[in-house]
Amino acid sequence: MFAPETYRDRRHALAQQIGQGLILLPGHDESPMNFADNGYPFRQDSTFLYYFGIDRPGLTGLIDAESGESFLFGEDYSLDWIVWMGPQTQLAEYSRASGGLTVKDPGDLSAMLGSDRPVHYLPPYRAEVRLQMAAWLGKNPAEVTEGASEALIQAIVTQRSLKSDEEVAAIEAAVRITGEMHLTAMRTARPGMTEAEVMAKVYQAALAHGQHPSFPIILSVRGEVLHNHHYGNTLSEGDLLLCDAGAQSPGYYAGDMTRTFPVSDRFSTRQKEIYQIVLDALQAGVQTLRPGLPYRESHLKSALTIAQGLKALGLMKGDVEEAVAAGAHALFFPHGLGHMMGLDVHDMENLGEDYVGYTDAITRSSQFGLRSLRLGRELAPGFVLTVEPGIYFIPPLIDRWRADGTCADFLNFDRIETYKDFGGIRIEDDYLITRVGARLLGDPIPKSVAEVEDIRAEALS
Ligand code: GLY
Ligand code: MN
């Protein structure tokens, strides 16, 4: 946990912003996998962590927005539990560590919520939380979701979007472990291994620090499947291996990086050409980063770089600016350039992607590709985000666009056809927006063609 004042000050700032009524912030319970005592790894709710910092199941937080008093509803573990779990931190101790909470019995919560004061809460995303809130609030589950407080969502997004120095340090700790995960992948992969064998080593690099990944590891020679969790293929000479993985810090802040490298010790000419375009797109996006710039502009700058590179290879044609405006590049780059990152790898996505990534002035596009950009709004100092362009050859998408003639003025389908077995390349780093520009988080790891080939040659020697 951070210092007690951190949590107290965050709660006071939120209470002042909301101004009236009660703010209900439920923590998580254990979540059963196949029977009650066999749970998924416990993961506390990130907003609860942000305001209370307590990593324990079975707790609910409540903030009185008028008096500023904060309550913690829960029970200390009985001896029956301690026999199985060992000695546990008392709620009174958590209360001190969290900056001063009034500890109350869970049975008292309904009565406090049942007064005629407004109750602000976030849209629940776990079914058991929705059901619990329905019981507390005397609503049915659908009404619970409809009744979520937009004012609370906006206030929390505003607060959590700006990372403090101690949060940046925590994120950077996660990114450093993340870098080790990627170095492990680059040093481990060999022809004949399965994706699962490499994935296990990458996972182990996080576990060795006592940390879990911040999201399910994507590691595949079929990098064109954007969220590929299969791990069943065997690595062969000539393949590209895409690894998208991140660790959590002890306080659950996330890292998220991607590297794509040859299973052989060198890229083929074709692989090197596409890799260099993705790297150029990453650098073009990074160069735009500064406060006040809408991140959508960074995305479009990377898209333009991709279109220019693919035109030079004869895969695209025509005016590249017109091609990007038409969304033609999205055949190869169908996702967004990046997303906010913090306590969640896609930070605060449970509060609603558009609240986090868009504003009244900058709204989400409906165009294929651009519509998947999670962050379009103007950047501000303290934002932490990913930059992750990619180029993929997705056979079913190519077939559909060709059959429909989609963006045919800008795409050379005969040549694209010859790349259908290529796979995909993504390169991703994490950045902090500063007062003057942006700073790479963590320690640089191999990224240029020469650096990647060097580490692969060393690994295979
Ligand atoms: N790293 C996975 C994603 O950003 O969706
Ligand atoms: Mn990402």
Side-chain angles (χ1 to χ4, degrees):
M1 288 177 73
F2 295 129
E5 299 74 43
T6 294
Y7 303 102
R8 187 197 61 201
D9 293 350
R10 288 173 177 176
R11 291 192 300 268
H12 279 174
L14 182 66
Q16 277 197 328
Q17 187 63 34
I18 295 300
Q20 43 86 42
L22 299 166
I23 302 167
L24 175 63
L25 297 170
H28 280 162
D29 276 322
E30 296 280 9
S31 191
M33 199 154 48
N34 49 344
F35 54 92
D37 284 344
N38 202 33
Y40 291 105
F42 175 70
R43 176 55 156 88
Q44 184 58 284
D45 173 73
S46 296
T47 302
F48 184 88
L49 277 175
Y50 184 83
Y51 290 103
F52 295 90
I54 307 172
D55 185 21
R56 205 211 88 162
L59 302 175
T60 302
L62 189 75
I63 304 170
D64 186 322
E66 287 151 53
S67 71
E69 186 173 6
S70 294
F71 301 89
L72 183 69
F73 293 86
E75 286 173 321
D76 281 312
Y77 286 107
S78 68
L79 188 57
D80 278 356
W81 282 105
I82 287 168
V83 167
W84 296 93
M85 300 166 72
Q88 297 292 309
T89 305
Q90 298 281 302
L91 295 187
E93 177 53 30
Y94 277 131
S95 161
R96 275 191 293 279
S98 184
L101 305 168
T102 304
V103 177
K104 290 184 94 63
D105 190 89
D108 296 340
L109 183 56
S110 285
M112 278 188 80
L113 297 175
S115 69
D116 52 9
R117 302 176 67 195
V119 179
H120 299 270
Y121 60 86
L122 299 173
Y125 56 94
R126 281 196 179 188
E128 60 265 37
V129 174
R130 186 178 295 115
L131 289 173
Q132 177 64 76
M133 288 178 61
W136 283 332
L137 298 168
K139 297 181 174 191
N140 71 44
E143 287 170 339
V144 170
T145 302
E146 285 161 18
S149 163
E150 192 164 346
L152 184 64
I153 294 171
Q154 303 272 22
I156 291 177
V157 167
T158 301
Q159 205 176 349
R160 283 181 57 188
S161 291
L162 302 178
K163 273 64 181 181
S164 65
D165 289 349
E166 61 190 348
E167 288 185 284
V168 172
I171 293 170
E172 205 150 22
V175 176
R176 289 213 166 87
I177 302 173
T178 300
E180 286 183 34
M181 294 166 81
H182 287 277
L183 287 171
T184 301
M186 289 189 244
R187 288 180 178 141
T188 301
R190 276 171 179 58
M193 288 178 83
T194 63
E195 293 166 346
E197 287 175 290
V198 184
M199 192 279 279
K201 296 287 186 195
V202 172
Y203 205 123
Q204 186 185 29
L207 282 180
H209 289 273
Q211 304 309 322
H212 283 278
S214 51
F215 59 94
I217 292 170
I218 298 163
L219 187 142
S220 184
V221 292
R222 299 265 49 99
E224 78 281 10
V225 181
L226 298 181
H227 280 178
N228 195 333
H229 302 136
H230 170 58
Y231 316 127
N233 296 307
T234 299
L235 279 47
S236 301
E237 294 278 1
D239 284 341
L240 285 172
L241 187 61
L242 185 153
C243 177
D244 182 348
Q248 296 180 127
S249 75
Y252 291 103
Y253 285 87
D256 179 10
M257 292 169 67
T258 306
R259 288 292 183 272
T260 310
F261 57 86
V263 170
S264 307
D265 59 353
R266 299 181 74 78
F267 290 102
S268 70
T269 301
R270 191 171 255 209
Q271 289 169 346
K272 198 185 304 187
E273 287 168 347
I274 299 290
Y275 187 93
Q276 189 60 49
I277 298 171
V278 179
L279 191 57
D280 291 346
L282 175 80
Q283 278 154 357
V286 167
Q287 275 166 14
T288 64
L289 298 177
R290 60 181 160 75
L293 180 97
Y295 195 57
R296 191 170 57 190
E297 298 301 318
S298 311
H299 174 92
L300 291 171
K301 183 75 183 156
S302 287
L304 191 69
T305 306
I306 285 173
Q308 282 163 339
L310 294 179
K311 183 178 172 185
L313 290 181
L315 290 155
M316 292 185 71
K317 58 187 180 182
D319 183 272
V320 284
E321 296 201 353
E322 283 175 27
V324 169
H329 64 283
L331 176 64
F332 312 100
F333 176 34
H335 60 74
L337 185 62
H339 49 85
M340 293 271 226
M341 192 178 79
L343 277 166
D344 309 295
V345 63
H346 292 177
D347 210 21
M348 302 173 276
E349 198 159 293
N350 61 304
L351 275 64
E353 258 182 72
D354 285 4
Y355 287 114
V356 180
Y358 290 90
T359 61
D360 289 344
I362 302 177
T363 56
R364 187 186 287 263
S365 166
S366 59
Q367 185 186 65
F368 178 78
L370 195 50
R371 73 176 179 226
S372 296
L373 178 63
R374 293 182 154 91
L375 176 61
R377 64 184 289 185
E378 287 183 359
L379 302 176
F383 281 16
V384 170
L385 50 83
T386 68
V387 185
E388 50 179 308
I391 295 180
Y392 315 89
F393 293 85
I394 306 170
L397 191 63
I398 294 168
D399 291 345
R400 171 66 70 84
W401 280 37
R402 182 166 210 173
D404 294 350
T406 306
C407 293
D409 290 346
F410 304 109
L411 297 167
N412 188 347
F413 281 111
D414 284 344
R415 187 149 170 75
I416 293 168
E417 203 70 34
T418 68
Y419 277 72
K420 264 181 159 175
D421 62 352
F422 183 92
I425 293 177
R426 178 164 62 255
I427 312 172
E428 176 179 23
D429 280 328
D430 304 323
Y431 279 86
L432 167 71
I433 303 301
T434 63
R435 282 203 310 263
V436 291
R439 175 167 82 75
L440 176 74
L441 293 174
D443 305 315
I445 62 164
K447 192 162 55 186
S448 70
V449 168
E451 288 165 348
V452 171
E453 289 187 339
D454 279 354
I455 190 171
R456 288 301 295 148
E458 203 178 301
L460 294 173
S461 63

